[in-house]
Amino acid sequence: QSTTGIGIAAAASVNFVSDHAEAAVRAPVVVADALSVTADHNALIGAGAGGLASAKATAESANADPGSDQKAVALAGAFSWNQIESRTTAVVEGSSVSLRAQPLAESTAAPLLQRLTIEALSTGEIFTAAAGLGGAVAKGKPDGGRTLAGSLAGSVSYNRIDTGTQALLLDSAVLMAAGTVAGTRSDVRVHALDDASIFAVAGSVALSLAFFS
């Protein structure tokens, strides 16, 4: 009698984040009453991968013939690759900015009335799941013959976000004065927003049954 049941499951998840965020001014002479250079970057990967395999082989009787075979094999696997690469820059560079003509806002609770403001916000997010489920059952005659069952299940999830996001002014020279009254606005806003989001689910199920008739 030969009775064999084999179940093998494997899962792997690879996550890769490469980051860069910059907010610069790079300038001699900035005389302000407001200049806001903002670079904001946010990246999130949440990943899961799982595999489950179950195999069962039995003979109909405990007194089975020594020549009878029952074999069951189940293989299951899952693989997830997730990647975020990002840059986020907000620059002024060559400069010599000169603003003034305050005040803009007297309270930190009040929203800032822009006088320049260069910002570059970026987000990235990957939620992913990959799963494989395999099962095999073989139930053979007690008096001979082979009964075989095999199953294979696998899933792969590949996700990638590659962003840029810049808000520049570069070789610069901004001069701005529009009055001295509270709340006076002299608006410049150079704005870049990059938003990316991936939600991915991958799965597979395989089941094999073999019975004598």
PDB file of all heavy atoms in Angstrom, residues 122-161:
ATOM      1  N   SER A 122       3.337  65.849  -2.911  1.00  0.00           N
ATOM      2  CA  SER A 122       3.260  64.550  -3.599  1.00  0.00           C
ATOM      3  C   SER A 122       2.816  63.465  -2.632  1.00  0.00           C
ATOM      4  O   SER A 122       3.228  63.459  -1.491  1.00  0.00           O
ATOM      5  CB  SER A 122       4.621  64.197  -4.197  1.00  0.00           C
ATOM      6  OG  SER A 122       4.585  62.908  -4.756  1.00  0.00           O
ATOM      7  N   THR A 123       2.011  62.570  -3.068  1.00  0.00           N
ATOM      8  CA  THR A 123       1.668  61.394  -2.277  1.00  0.00           C
ATOM      9  C   THR A 123       1.803  60.155  -3.147  1.00  0.00           C
ATOM     10  O   THR A 123       1.783  60.247  -4.360  1.00  0.00           O
ATOM     11  CB  THR A 123       0.218  61.453  -1.752  1.00  0.00           C
ATOM     12  OG1 THR A 123      -0.656  61.643  -2.857  1.00  0.00           O
ATOM     13  CG2 THR A 123       0.020  62.607  -0.800  1.00  0.00           C
ATOM     14  N   GLY A 124       1.941  59.036  -2.532  1.00  0.00           N
ATOM     15  CA  GLY A 124       1.959  57.788  -3.312  1.00  0.00           C
ATOM     16  C   GLY A 124       1.337  56.756  -2.452  1.00  0.00           C
ATOM     17  O   GLY A 124       0.764  56.903  -1.823  1.00  0.00           O
ATOM     18  N   GLU A 125       0.800  55.746  -2.638  1.00  0.00           N
ATOM     19  CA  GLU A 125       0.171  54.792  -1.746  1.00  0.00           C
ATOM     20  C   GLU A 125       0.019  53.529  -2.533  1.00  0.00           C
ATOM     21  O   GLU A 125      -0.393  53.618  -3.659  1.00  0.00           O
ATOM     22  CB  GLU A 125      -1.206  55.244  -1.219  1.00  0.00           C
ATOM     23  CG  GLU A 125      -1.152  56.441  -0.301  1.00  0.00           C
ATOM     24  CD  GLU A 125      -2.490  56.809   0.276  1.00  0.00           C
ATOM     25  OE1 GLU A 125      -3.499  56.585  -0.430  1.00  0.00           O
ATOM     26  OE2 GLU A 125      -2.519  57.288   1.395  1.00  0.00           O
ATOM     27  N   ILE A 126       0.392  52.438  -2.034  1.00  0.00           N
ATOM     28  CA  ILE A 126       0.107  51.150  -2.671  1.00  0.00           C
ATOM     29  C   ILE A 126      -0.448  50.231  -1.604  1.00  0.00           C
ATOM     30  O   ILE A 126       0.200  50.028  -0.601  1.00  0.00           O
ATOM     31  CB  ILE A 126       1.380  50.513  -3.268  1.00  0.00           C
ATOM     32  CG1 ILE A 126       1.932  51.366  -4.395  1.00  0.00           C
ATOM     33  CG2 ILE A 126       1.112  49.131  -3.782  1.00  0.00           C
ATOM     34  CD1 ILE A 126       3.203  50.842  -4.999  1.00  0.00           C
ATOM     35  N   PHE A 127      -1.612  49.730  -1.791  1.00  0.00           N
ATOM     36  CA  PHE A 127      -2.134  48.655  -0.942  1.00  0.00           C
ATOM     37  C   PHE A 127      -2.234  47.434  -1.841  1.00  0.00           C
ATOM     38  O   PHE A 127      -2.825  47.523  -2.903  1.00  0.00           O
ATOM     39  CB  PHE A 127      -3.522  48.979  -0.400  1.00  0.00           C
ATOM     40  CG  PHE A 127      -3.626  50.288   0.298  1.00  0.00           C
ATOM     41  CD1 PHE A 127      -4.173  51.372  -0.338  1.00  0.00           C
ATOM     42  CD2 PHE A 127      -3.151  50.440   1.584  1.00  0.00           C
ATOM     43  CE1 PHE A 127      -4.268  52.587   0.298  1.00  0.00           C
ATOM     44  CE2 PHE A 127      -3.236  51.648   2.230  1.00  0.00           C
ATOM     45  CZ  PHE A 127      -3.798  52.731   1.580  1.00  0.00           C
ATOM     46  N   THR A 128      -1.738  46.343  -1.461  1.00  0.00           N
ATOM     47  CA  THR A 128      -1.775  45.179  -2.337  1.00  0.00           C
ATOM     48  C   THR A 128      -1.950  43.896  -1.549  1.00  0.00           C
ATOM     49  O   THR A 128      -1.599  43.829  -0.387  1.00  0.00           O
ATOM     50  CB  THR A 128      -0.475  45.098  -3.163  1.00  0.00           C
ATOM     51  OG1 THR A 128      -0.561  44.045  -4.105  1.00  0.00           O
ATOM     52  CG2 THR A 128       0.710  44.896  -2.275  1.00  0.00           C
ATOM     53  N   ALA A 129      -2.497  42.889  -2.192  1.00  0.00           N
ATOM     54  CA  ALA A 129      -2.620  41.576  -1.564  1.00  0.00           C
ATOM     55  C   ALA A 129      -2.518  40.522  -2.645  1.00  0.00           C
ATOM     56  O   ALA A 129      -3.048  40.699  -3.737  1.00  0.00           O
ATOM     57  CB  ALA A 129      -3.947  41.455  -0.839  1.00  0.00           C
ATOM     58  N   ALA A 130      -1.825  39.454  -2.397  1.00  0.00           N
ATOM     59  CA  ALA A 130      -1.720  38.349  -3.353  1.00  0.00           C
ATOM     60  C   ALA A 130      -1.831  37.043  -2.582  1.00  0.00           C
ATOM     61  O   ALA A 130      -1.207  36.889  -1.538  1.00  0.00           O
ATOM     62  CB  ALA A 130      -0.392  38.410  -4.105  1.00  0.00           C
ATOM     63  N   ALA A 131      -2.636  36.130  -3.077  1.00  0.00           N
ATOM     64  CA  ALA A 131      -2.844  34.869  -2.364  1.00  0.00           C
ATOM     65  C   ALA A 131      -3.037  33.718  -3.338  1.00  0.00           C
ATOM     66  O   ALA A 131      -3.593  33.891  -4.422  1.00  0.00           O
ATOM     67  CB  ALA A 131      -4.050  34.983  -1.436  1.00  0.00           C
ATOM     68  N   GLY A 132      -2.564  32.544  -2.949  1.00  0.00           N
ATOM     69  CA  GLY A 132      -2.767  31.327  -3.722  1.00  0.00           C
ATOM     70  C   GLY A 132      -3.241  30.215  -2.805  1.00  0.00           C
ATOM     71  O   GLY A 132      -2.710  30.046  -1.706  1.00  0.00           O
ATOM     72  N   LEU A 133      -4.254  29.486  -3.229  1.00  0.00           N
ATOM     73  CA  LEU A 133      -4.825  28.410  -2.422  1.00  0.00           C
ATOM     74  C   LEU A 133      -4.940  27.152  -3.275  1.00  0.00           C
ATOM     75  O   LEU A 133      -5.557  27.182  -4.343  1.00  0.00           O
ATOM     76  CB  LEU A 133      -6.198  28.828  -1.901  1.00  0.00           C
ATOM     77  CG  LEU A 133      -7.016  27.768  -1.162  1.00  0.00           C
ATOM     78  CD1 LEU A 133      -6.302  27.330   0.096  1.00  0.00           C
ATOM     79  CD2 LEU A 133      -8.402  28.304  -0.826  1.00  0.00           C
ATOM     80  N   GLY A 134      -4.324  26.068  -2.842  1.00  0.00           N
ATOM     81  CA  GLY A 134      -4.362  24.816  -3.597  1.00  0.00           C
ATOM     82  C   GLY A 134      -4.744  23.642  -2.709  1.00  0.00           C
ATOM     83  O   GLY A 134      -4.316  23.560  -1.556  1.00  0.00           O
ATOM     84  N   GLY A 135      -5.544  22.733  -3.247  1.00  0.00           N
ATOM     85  CA  GLY A 135      -5.952  21.556  -2.496  1.00  0.00           C
ATOM     86  C   GLY A 135      -6.032  20.331  -3.394  1.00  0.00           C
ATOM     87  O   GLY A 135      -6.381  20.440  -4.569  1.00  0.00           O
ATOM     88  N   ALA A 136      -5.702  19.175  -2.868  1.00  0.00           N
ATOM     89  CA  ALA A 136      -5.780  17.916  -3.624  1.00  0.00           C
ATOM     90  C   ALA A 136      -6.208  16.793  -2.705  1.00  0.00           C
ATOM     91  O   ALA A 136      -5.705  16.681  -1.579  1.00  0.00           O
ATOM     92  CB  ALA A 136      -4.429  17.602  -4.264  1.00  0.00           C
ATOM     93  N   VAL A 137      -7.145  15.981  -3.173  1.00  0.00           N
ATOM     94  CA  VAL A 137      -7.623  14.827  -2.404  1.00  0.00           C
ATOM     95  C   VAL A 137      -7.626  13.602  -3.318  1.00  0.00           C
ATOM     96  O   VAL A 137      -8.175  13.646  -4.420  1.00  0.00           O
ATOM     97  CB  VAL A 137      -9.046  15.060  -1.853  1.00  0.00           C
ATOM     98  CG1 VAL A 137      -9.549  13.809  -1.134  1.00  0.00           C
ATOM     99  CG2 VAL A 137      -9.075  16.259  -0.924  1.00  0.00           C
ATOM    100  N   ALA A 138      -7.001  12.504  -2.865  1.00  0.00           N
ATOM    101  CA  ALA A 138      -7.000  11.244  -3.609  1.00  0.00           C
ATOM    102  C   ALA A 138      -7.516  10.134  -2.701  1.00  0.00           C
ATOM    103  O   ALA A 138      -7.004   9.944  -1.594  1.00  0.00           O
ATOM    104  CB  ALA A 138      -5.596  10.918  -4.102  1.00  0.00           C
ATOM    105  N   LYS A 139      -8.531   9.420  -3.167  1.00  0.00           N
ATOM    106  CA  LYS A 139      -9.082   8.313  -2.397  1.00  0.00           C
ATOM    107  C   LYS A 139      -9.148   7.099  -3.305  1.00  0.00           C
ATOM    108  O   LYS A 139      -9.858   7.095  -4.312  1.00  0.00           O
ATOM    109  CB  LYS A 139     -10.466   8.673  -1.877  1.00  0.00           C
ATOM    110  CG  LYS A 139     -11.029   7.656  -0.914  1.00  0.00           C
ATOM    111  CD  LYS A 139     -12.316   8.184  -0.289  1.00  0.00           C
ATOM    112  CE  LYS A 139     -12.830   7.219   0.754  1.00  0.00           C
ATOM    113  NZ  LYS A 139     -14.085   7.697   1.370  1.00  0.00           N
ATOM    114  N   GLY A 140      -8.351   6.061  -2.980  1.00  0.00           N
ATOM    115  CA  GLY A 140      -8.190   4.946  -3.906  1.00  0.00           C
ATOM    116  C   GLY A 140      -8.890   3.669  -3.481  1.00  0.00           C
ATOM    117  O   GLY A 140      -9.363   3.535  -2.360  1.00  0.00           O
ATOM    118  N   LYS A 141      -8.931   2.696  -4.414  1.00  0.00           N
ATOM    119  CA  LYS A 141      -9.468   1.365  -4.140  1.00  0.00           C
ATOM    120  C   LYS A 141      -8.613   0.649  -3.117  1.00  0.00           C
ATOM    121  O   LYS A 141      -7.418   0.855  -3.064  1.00  0.00           O
ATOM    122  CB  LYS A 141      -9.477   0.530  -5.422  1.00  0.00           C
ATOM    123  CG  LYS A 141     -10.458   0.980  -6.475  1.00  0.00           C
ATOM    124  CD  LYS A 141     -10.388  -0.008  -7.625  1.00  0.00           C
ATOM    125  CE  LYS A 141     -11.338   0.419  -8.726  1.00  0.00           C
ATOM    126  NZ  LYS A 141     -11.314  -0.563  -9.832  1.00  0.00           N
ATOM    127  N   PRO A 142      -9.205  -0.243  -2.392  1.00  0.00           N
ATOM    128  CA  PRO A 142      -8.409  -1.027  -1.458  1.00  0.00           C
ATOM    129  C   PRO A 142      -7.633  -2.145  -2.141  1.00  0.00           C
ATOM    130  O   PRO A 142      -6.752  -2.742  -1.559  1.00  0.00           O
ATOM    131  CB  PRO A 142      -9.457  -1.610  -0.510  1.00  0.00           C
ATOM    132  CG  PRO A 142     -10.713  -1.647  -1.294  1.00  0.00           C
ATOM    133  CD  PRO A 142     -10.651  -0.499  -2.245  1.00  0.00           C
ATOM    134  N   ASP A 143      -7.939  -2.450  -3.398  1.00  0.00           N
ATOM    135  CA  ASP A 143      -7.360  -3.643  -4.003  1.00  0.00           C
ATOM    136  C   ASP A 143      -6.557  -3.357  -5.274  1.00  0.00           C
ATOM    137  O   ASP A 143      -6.485  -4.187  -6.166  1.00  0.00           O
ATOM    138  CB  ASP A 143      -8.479  -4.654  -4.315  1.00  0.00           C
ATOM    139  CG  ASP A 143      -9.521  -4.031  -5.217  1.00  0.00           C
ATOM    140  OD1 ASP A 143      -9.429  -2.805  -5.493  1.00  0.00           O
ATOM    141  OD2 ASP A 143     -10.414  -4.766  -5.655  1.00  0.00           O
ATOM    142  N   GLY A 144      -5.972  -2.218  -5.371  1.00  0.00           N
ATOM    143  CA  GLY A 144      -5.063  -2.005  -6.492  1.00  0.00           C
ATOM    144  C   GLY A 144      -5.431  -0.811  -7.360  1.00  0.00           C
ATOM    145  O   GLY A 144      -6.465  -0.199  -7.215  1.00  0.00           O
ATOM    146  N   GLY A 145      -4.529  -0.474  -8.305  1.00  0.00           N
ATOM    147  CA  GLY A 145      -4.732   0.657  -9.193  1.00  0.00           C
ATOM    148  C   GLY A 145      -4.259   1.953  -8.550  1.00  0.00           C
ATOM    149  O   GLY A 145      -4.152   2.051  -7.338  1.00  0.00           O
ATOM    150  N   ARG A 146      -3.972   2.925  -9.379  1.00  0.00           N
ATOM    151  CA  ARG A 146      -3.494   4.206  -8.881  1.00  0.00           C
ATOM    152  C   ARG A 146      -4.614   5.232  -8.868  1.00  0.00           C
ATOM    153  O   ARG A 146      -5.445   5.271  -9.760  1.00  0.00           O
ATOM    154  CB  ARG A 146      -2.368   4.732  -9.754  1.00  0.00           C
ATOM    155  CG  ARG A 146      -1.109   3.938  -9.615  1.00  0.00           C
ATOM    156  CD  ARG A 146       0.024   4.649 -10.285  1.00  0.00           C
ATOM    157  NE  ARG A 146       1.280   4.043  -9.977  1.00  0.00           N
ATOM    158  CZ  ARG A 146       2.440   4.594 -10.242  1.00  0.00           C
ATOM    159  NH1 ARG A 146       2.493   5.759 -10.845  1.00  0.00           N
ATOM    160  NH2 ARG A 146       3.550   3.980  -9.933  1.00  0.00           N
ATOM    161  N   THR A 147      -4.585   6.074  -7.891  1.00  0.00           N
ATOM    162  CA  THR A 147      -5.495   7.214  -7.835  1.00  0.00           C
ATOM    163  C   THR A 147      -4.644   8.432  -7.520  1.00  0.00           C
ATOM    164  O   THR A 147      -4.030   8.508  -6.448  1.00  0.00           O
ATOM    165  CB  THR A 147      -6.552   7.020  -6.729  1.00  0.00           C
ATOM    166  OG1 THR A 147      -7.239   5.793  -6.966  1.00  0.00           O
ATOM    167  CG2 THR A 147      -7.542   8.159  -6.737  1.00  0.00           C
ATOM    168  N   LEU A 148      -4.565   9.343  -8.460  1.00  0.00           N
ATOM    169  CA  LEU A 148      -3.661  10.478  -8.327  1.00  0.00           C
ATOM    170  C   LEU A 148      -4.449  11.786  -8.396  1.00  0.00           C
ATOM    171  O   LEU A 148      -5.395  11.906  -9.167  1.00  0.00           O
ATOM    172  CB  LEU A 148      -2.615  10.466  -9.453  1.00  0.00           C
ATOM    173  CG  LEU A 148      -1.791   9.187  -9.607  1.00  0.00           C
ATOM    174  CD1 LEU A 148      -0.905   9.288 -10.838  1.00  0.00           C
ATOM    175  CD2 LEU A 148      -0.948   8.955  -8.364  1.00  0.00           C
ATOM    176  N   ALA A 149      -4.041  12.762  -7.621  1.00  0.00           N
ATOM    177  CA  ALA A 149      -4.647  14.090  -7.668  1.00  0.00           C
ATOM    178  C   ALA A 149      -3.552  15.131  -7.474  1.00  0.00           C
ATOM    179  O   ALA A 149      -2.687  14.971  -6.603  1.00  0.00           O
ATOM    180  CB  ALA A 149      -5.717  14.229  -6.589  1.00  0.00           C
ATOM    181  N   GLY A 150      -3.575  16.166  -8.287  1.00  0.00           N
ATOM    182  CA  GLY A 150      -2.579  17.222  -8.147  1.00  0.00           C
ATOM    183  C   GLY A 150      -3.186  18.578  -8.466  1.00  0.00           C
ATOM    184  O   GLY A 150      -4.068  18.694  -9.307  1.00  0.00           O
ATOM    185  N   SER A 151      -2.749  19.614  -7.769  1.00  0.00           N
ATOM    186  CA  SER A 151      -3.244  20.961  -8.044  1.00  0.00           C
ATOM    187  C   SER A 151      -2.116  21.972  -7.893  1.00  0.00           C
ATOM    188  O   SER A 151      -1.190  21.780  -7.107  1.00  0.00           O
ATOM    189  CB  SER A 151      -4.399  21.312  -7.106  1.00  0.00           C
ATOM    190  OG  SER A 151      -3.924  21.482  -5.786  1.00  0.00           O
ATOM    191  N   LEU A 152      -2.209  23.033  -8.660  1.00  0.00           N
ATOM    192  CA  LEU A 152      -1.217  24.100  -8.620  1.00  0.00           C
ATOM    193  C   LEU A 152      -1.941  25.438  -8.675  1.00  0.00           C
ATOM    194  O   LEU A 152      -2.757  25.673  -9.572  1.00  0.00           O
ATOM    195  CB  LEU A 152      -0.253  23.971  -9.804  1.00  0.00           C
ATOM    196  CG  LEU A 152       0.737  25.119 -10.004  1.00  0.00           C
ATOM    197  CD1 LEU A 152       1.685  25.232  -8.816  1.00  0.00           C
ATOM    198  CD2 LEU A 152       1.517  24.931 -11.297  1.00  0.00           C
ATOM    199  N   ALA A 153      -1.688  26.307  -7.711  1.00  0.00           N
ATOM    200  CA  ALA A 153      -2.304  27.632  -7.684  1.00  0.00           C
ATOM    201  C   ALA A 153      -1.238  28.680  -7.383  1.00  0.00           C
ATOM    202  O   ALA A 153      -0.385  28.475  -6.522  1.00  0.00           O
ATOM    203  CB  ALA A 153      -3.407  27.681  -6.630  1.00  0.00           C
ATOM    204  N   GLY A 154      -1.272  29.771  -8.108  1.00  0.00           N
ATOM    205  CA  GLY A 154      -0.301  30.824  -7.861  1.00  0.00           C
ATOM    206  C   GLY A 154      -0.830  32.177  -8.297  1.00  0.00           C
ATOM    207  O   GLY A 154      -1.674  32.268  -9.181  1.00  0.00           O
ATOM    208  N   SER A 155      -0.366  33.238  -7.675  1.00  0.00           N
ATOM    209  CA  SER A 155      -0.758  34.586  -8.074  1.00  0.00           C
ATOM    210  C   SER A 155       0.424  35.541  -7.925  1.00  0.00           C
ATOM    211  O   SER A 155       1.266  35.369  -7.043  1.00  0.00           O
ATOM    212  CB  SER A 155      -1.944  35.070  -7.242  1.00  0.00           C
ATOM    213  OG  SER A 155      -1.577  35.169  -5.882  1.00  0.00           O
ATOM    214  N   VAL A 156       0.480  36.522  -8.815  1.00  0.00           N
ATOM    215  CA  VAL A 156       1.555  37.500  -8.816  1.00  0.00           C
ATOM    216  C   VAL A 156       0.944  38.895  -8.920  1.00  0.00           C
ATOM    217  O   VAL A 156       0.033  39.130  -9.705  1.00  0.00           O
ATOM    218  CB  VAL A 156       2.520  37.274 -10.006  1.00  0.00           C
ATOM    219  CG1 VAL A 156       3.566  38.366 -10.052  1.00  0.00           C
ATOM    220  CG2 VAL A 156       3.172  35.908  -9.905  1.00  0.00           C
ATOM    221  N   SER A 157       1.432  39.796  -8.104  1.00  0.00           N
ATOM    222  CA  SER A 157       0.999  41.184  -8.173  1.00  0.00           C
ATOM    223  C   SER A 157       2.218  42.085  -8.324  1.00  0.00           C
ATOM    224  O   SER A 157       3.124  42.054  -7.492  1.00  0.00           O
ATOM    225  CB  SER A 157       0.220  41.551  -6.896  1.00  0.00           C
ATOM    226  OG  SER A 157      -0.118  42.912  -6.886  1.00  0.00           O
ATOM    227  N   TYR A 158       2.244  42.862  -9.409  1.00  0.00           N
ATOM    228  CA  TYR A 158       3.356  43.777  -9.652  1.00  0.00           C
ATOM    229  C   TYR A 158       2.812  45.200  -9.733  1.00  0.00           C
ATOM    230  O   TYR A 158       1.961  45.508 -10.557  1.00  0.00           O
ATOM    231  CB  TYR A 158       4.080  43.411 -10.953  1.00  0.00           C
ATOM    232  CG  TYR A 158       5.203  44.363 -11.301  1.00  0.00           C
ATOM    233  CD1 TYR A 158       6.453  44.221 -10.714  1.00  0.00           C
ATOM    234  CD2 TYR A 158       5.015  45.400 -12.201  1.00  0.00           C
ATOM    235  CE1 TYR A 158       7.480  45.101 -11.021  1.00  0.00           C
ATOM    236  CE2 TYR A 158       6.035  46.274 -12.513  1.00  0.00           C
ATOM    237  CZ  TYR A 158       7.264  46.117 -11.919  1.00  0.00           C
ATOM    238  OH  TYR A 158       8.272  47.000 -12.226  1.00  0.00           O
ATOM    239  N   ASN A 159       3.294  46.073  -8.867  1.00  0.00           N
ATOM    240  CA  ASN A 159       2.792  47.441  -8.807  1.00  0.00           C
ATOM    241  C   ASN A 159       3.951  48.417  -8.789  1.00  0.00           C
ATOM    242  O   ASN A 159       4.949  48.173  -8.125  1.00  0.00           O
ATOM    243  CB  ASN A 159       1.954  47.638  -7.541  1.00  0.00           C
ATOM    244  CG  ASN A 159       0.914  46.561  -7.382  1.00  0.00           C
ATOM    245  OD1 ASN A 159      -0.030  46.492  -8.128  1.00  0.00           O
ATOM    246  ND2 ASN A 159       1.119  45.681  -6.422  1.00  0.00           N
ATOM    247  N   ARG A 160       3.795  49.522  -9.461  1.00  0.00           N
ATOM    248  CA  ARG A 160       4.892  50.479  -9.510  1.00  0.00           C
ATOM    249  C   ARG A 160       4.354  51.896  -9.608  1.00  0.00           C
ATOM    250  O   ARG A 160       3.453  52.167 -10.398  1.00  0.00           O
ATOM    251  CB  ARG A 160       5.777  50.185 -10.714  1.00  0.00           C
ATOM    252  CG  ARG A 160       6.992  51.050 -10.746  1.00  0.00           C
ATOM    253  CD  ARG A 160       7.907  50.663 -11.885  1.00  0.00           C
ATOM    254  NE  ARG A 160       9.128  51.436 -11.812  1.00  0.00           N
ATOM    255  CZ  ARG A 160       9.653  52.091 -12.817  1.00  0.00           C
ATOM    256  NH1 ARG A 160       9.054  52.050 -13.989  1.00  0.00           N
ATOM    257  NH2 ARG A 160      10.759  52.760 -12.671  1.00  0.00           N
ATOM    258  N   ILE A 161       4.883  52.805  -8.803  1.00  0.00           N
ATOM    259  CA  ILE A 161       4.561  54.226  -8.932  1.00  0.00           C
ATOM    260  C   ILE A 161       5.871  54.974  -9.091  1.00  0.00           C
ATOM    261  O   ILE A 161       6.774  54.808  -8.297  1.00  0.00           O
ATOM    262  CB  ILE A 161       3.841  54.750  -7.673  1.00  0.00           C
ATOM    263  CG1 ILE A 161       2.504  54.064  -7.496  1.00  0.00           C
ATOM    264  CG2 ILE A 161       3.639  56.237  -7.761  1.00  0.00           C
ATOM    265  CD1 ILE A 161       1.766  54.502  -6.269  1.00  0.00           C
TER     266      ILE A 161
END
